[in-house]
Amino acid sequence: MTPDQLRKVLKELTGDRDLTIAFSGMPEHVATLHVHSAMLIPDEPDHMVKVTDGKHIYVLDAERVAYLTIALKKLN
């Protein structure tokens, strides 16, 4: 997956969905990342794909993404 493709998939993340990403080629204990209430950070000059939970920023290596799960929007 390219960074642009990943950014298109993640554009739905506006803080009301959880995100789980599985990475290939990583040791099992660090192969999965779960981000609660994930938000995609808009493209910046470095063109890295970044998401945040409001407390941390996660920089994603698009080429290592094996699959991802985006939770449905939370109902109020």
Side-chain angles (χ1 to χ4, degrees):
M1 184 177 306
T2 68
D4 287 337
Q5 290 172 321
L6 182 57
R7 196 172 281 108
K8 285 180 186 177
V9 170
L10 298 178
K11 71 180 181 180
E12 298 177 20
L13 298 177
T14 59
D16 55 359
R17 296 177 181 212
D18 293 343
L19 170 68
T20 302
I21 303 175
F23 297 96
S24 60
M26 300 293 290
E28 188 174 330
H29 67 282
V30 293
T32 304
L33 172 66
H34 186 76
V35 182
H36 293 282
S37 302
M39 291 179 56
L40 176 65
I41 294 176
D43 195 16
E44 296 179 328
D46 62 10
H47 301 294
M48 301 295 294
V49 180
K50 301 173 189 173
V51 296
T52 184
D53 59 4
K55 297 177 185 175
H56 305 90
I57 294 175
Y58 302 92
V59 180
L60 308 177
D61 183 349
E63 293 179 2
R64 288 189 181 251
V65 173
Y67 69 88
L68 51 90
T69 303
I70 299 173
L72 297 176
K73 289 185 178 183
K74 298 173 186 171
L75 299 176
N76 293 330

